[in-house]
Amino acid sequence: MPTCRRKRVLLTEPSPSLLAASKNDPQREVYYLAETGEIFETYQAYAARMSFYRIKQFQCEVTGKSGLDYFQALESERQEARTMHSRFPDQLKAAVLKAVQWRTSSIHLVSFTWPLDGLMYHTLPEVMGRLDHLVEAVYDRFKDRYYPDEKVFVEIQGEKYLAQIIQVFPPATQHPLKRSPGPVASSSSTPLYDEPTAIHKVAEDLKIPVKDSVTMDDPAKYVYKVQVLEDDRQPGFNKPDKGKGKEATRGQWGGHVMDVECAKMNRDRLAFSKSILRRFIRDCVDRDAAVASPWTVKPAIAARYGVSSDMPEEIRKDVETIKKGESDKRKKIWEEKEGPSLKRQKRAAAAAENERILAAIAEQREREAREKAEQQQRAKEESERLAAEKKKKKPIRYPTEDLDVVLGDKEKKAGMKLKRPVPSKLAMPFGEDQDTNSAFLMCWNFLVVYGQPLHISSFTMDEFEGALRHSTIDPHCQLLAEIHATLIYNLRTVYFERHSAIVSLVNYKDEHGDDEVFGITIEQLTATLAEVGNNWERAPLRHSEDREGWEESLVGCLKDHANLENFPRLREVLTRLLFAPDHAHEHSGSTGPSPSTSPAPLRLTTPTAPGQLYHRLSAKDRIDIITFMCNLAVSSKAIHAHMESCEEQLTALRKEKIEVNRTKKSYMEEIAVLNGEINGDAKPQTNGKGDEDVAMRDSSDLSDAPSDAGDAPRKTGSVRRSAAKEREAARAKAQSAKQAQTERRRLEEEVSKLERRLEGIEREFRKLLGAVRVKPLGRDRFYNRVWWFDGMGAASLIGSGGTVQYGTGRIFLQGPSEFDVEILQRREEDVDRRRREEEGEEGMLAVGEWAVYNDVDEVREFVDWLNPKGVRELALRNTFQKWWNHISPGMRRRAADLNANAKIPEARRSTRKHAGADILREPYMQWTNRKAVNGS
């Protein structure tokens, strides 16, 4: 049995309810662990047990190997058991198991009488708790005792030969020992012999000591008739012997039958030794943990080898005697250890008397002190209450959990905003259709981020939205053609199954019947679909030819890649792409195409080329198609290679950023040193001038004082020389300060260059990180996620010449995830009430719901609403400050572009004749793909 932390792993027993259900509800479904045979009611219990078994913490009990899971340890034990059972002599197994069954050790008092039948002995049973003792006893009994059909080594003229025991002669039936006169041929691998006599029966009784068993049944007096095996069955056959003359000598004994004694015989150590015997006994026997429990052979093994599983009455009495003796022994030890002596008893009696006297005195004192104790208790409770109130008023360390931050009167008076500006849900590209909004944002982000491997130039979200709403066939939309063509080229490298859409539709018809969608049955759809786009993976969609034929290739791509499982709306989309309404319905129901609307016919009848029908698809259908293609393109080799390249560039940028910061730090330290030199030189310069003035005053004063005629010229000269030295030192310091200022200006310029490089690294890091994982700017106090998609992947925040560029020019808000909602619900306070107060009914976003800020002032108000005392909002506020110089100009430029492209009411009333010219002036119609590869 495998062990875990040196303890055997016990299997889980079925619960009582499960056992009752097996009788009352036999059809009940349960979870069955086949490797162990365990049964569980719930999947959680099954998975927990399987996880426990899979942890590499188990040890093989036989080999001692550790670091295995349960099944590996179990297989190791089984393999070792199979090896051990194959090596251990089968003839010994039954005898050894009978010897250890119900076995305890015993202390014997023996009295001898002669003959041996009069031998008398009395046993005092004793527990044999260690397996080593049992192995020693069994090994000593059977090491010189052999059984028929055993293969043993026999020593003949100093050489050992492998032989098989044919017959065993006990001491009472032995015949004179003699060697056979010559070889005796054996006609069978198992020679016949007379009916066997009971042998080695005394050895099987471990109650008899070893010496007594030898006296009663001496193994040295047994005679064994053995037959030497043929040469080809001898170990080491075909191996060259060291002595040249030994080969002929060994060959002459093959097949001989002879009588030998145990002194000339021994078993193979790989088949019988203490270690092998120990493993055999440990694998076949068991022992309860209770005191004086005997060793018992496992029931299945006992039945196989004919070992009795009923405990004899004599052994049962011995076990009870041992248990009683152990119990009395432990009781005696406890009494000797814990029981008091006579002197201790006297001391205890005197102490008890004194305690009674003192108790009476204490009772009186207790009555007197009771009121005082009550007063102290009341005082203690009051102090604890005050301490608790003081602890509650303990100042909070900020930043902390955002929802724990509550605006106080101080913040309100300081003008802190209480209510968040309401983001617009209707201003989203597709209004309140959240699924379409999510798919739209994902598609645009994918196409822009992976523009380099897709070979498509970046475009704004407004241009993408306008292209999706384009509903005229002439002029055609170049942006739509480039998007679909690049995705089709990319999906040619992704594995697909031919006609998977047709197979899926046919299977659906077989299961649910052939119903109609837009008046078209599945049979009609599959028949038409089989004839379109069959050469899509080889059809040339050249940029110079305006991607002509991309609609047919799109249908072929969907036919081979899509099915009803990965594209649930496949049938509706293909029906709209392959069938047109009849002319009567078209003329009666059509009101003329417009860029903002697309017709949706109720009944389609006429098979038509996809190039004539794609412009009729709704924006939702187009988003579903592009979403499906983007999800497939993620697994393409080009996208994976681009992601790996971005990871490598990110690593290089991280290293460069570390080096730039290290260089900047060294420059700042040098600037600090130069500032100290410059500020330190200014003061000594002033002191120098003061000293000069003092010296001049001193010289003038001295010149007026009366002195000798010879002393005056000498004193005046020395003063002039010191003044000249001071002026020279002042000029040197001024020159040094000037050089320091020049060096400081140079270092400041270097620092400004490094700061500009750090800004560039941050922009490049954002572009590359967007290709690996898209992360929001942060989350507010209610776990709403704030998204800014600009500057990722192929898009750039700054164009040539330093012009501002934008991709969305907006800030998006997404409602909390389901996990975040669970966190909010676990709080004690009423979060919904607080959300209504701080977000407003209109501003509350559901799970995954989208809203947007289009105006810079709204975003600034939102940033002002963020409370820096909260962890999440502090991080979000810092992120806004980091990128504000790009967020604000981008939003302003988008607003300016929208105003510039807005049409005046008179222009909107233009005639149908000039509708095409108006559409051509739309920004999305003026987009060109500058990254298109020549020839594709």
Side-chain angles (χ1 to χ4, degrees), residues 557-676:
C557 179
L558 295 177
K559 180 171 63 175
D560 289 346
H561 276 288
N563 54 60
L564 292 177
E565 293 181 0
N566 57 20
F567 195 177
R569 299 189 66 246
L570 176 64
R571 183 180 177 185
E572 299 176 17
V573 171
L574 289 177
T575 303
R576 291 176 180 271
L577 276 174
L578 297 175
F579 293 91
D582 55 6
H583 296 289
H585 179 79
E586 182 178 8
H587 290 301
S588 61
S590 177
T591 58
S594 66
S596 60
T597 61
S598 59
L602 297 178
R603 189 170 184 82
L604 308 175
T605 57
T606 307
T608 310
Q612 301 295 321
L613 296 177
Y614 184 87
H615 69 282
R616 295 177 178 268
L617 290 180
S618 64
K620 179 177 176 58
D621 292 338
R622 299 179 185 182
I623 290 177
D624 289 343
I625 294 174
I626 299 175
T627 301
F628 171 74
M629 299 177 75
C630 290
N631 289 332
L632 289 179
V634 171
S635 60
S636 65
K637 295 181 180 179
I639 300 299
H640 280 194
H642 180 71
M643 294 175 68
E644 293 176 358
S645 174
C646 291
E647 288 281 7
E648 296 175 357
Q649 295 180 56
L650 284 172
T651 302
L653 283 178
R654 291 187 184 98
K655 294 179 180 179
E656 183 182 359
K657 184 177 180 180
I658 293 173
E659 292 297 328
V660 171
N661 282 324
R662 185 181 291 115
T663 306
K664 178 184 175 182
K665 182 179 178 181
S666 65
Y667 286 166
M668 295 300 295
E669 292 175 352
E670 294 181 12
I671 290 174
V673 173
L674 292 175
N675 287 335

Side-chain angles (χ1 to χ4, degrees), residues 531-557:
E531 300 175 359
V532 180
N534 292 321
N535 196 32
W536 70 275
E537 71 275 15
R538 292 185 296 274
L541 305 176
R542 295 185 175 88
H543 173 70
S544 58
E545 298 175 359
D546 294 335
R547 309 290 186 180
E548 183 180 357
W550 67 267
E551 295 90 347
E552 287 76 8
S553 296
L554 172 64
V555 174
C557 179

Side-chain angles (χ1 to χ4, degrees), residues 63-87:
T63 62
K65 292 180 181 178
S66 59
L68 308 175
D69 61 31
Y70 180 83
F71 305 111
Q72 291 173 342
L74 188 63
E75 180 59 28
S76 176
E77 291 184 358
R78 289 174 179 172
Q79 180 63 32
E80 290 297 323
R82 287 191 292 266
T83 304
M84 182 269 299
H85 280 287
S86 65
R87 290 179 178 176

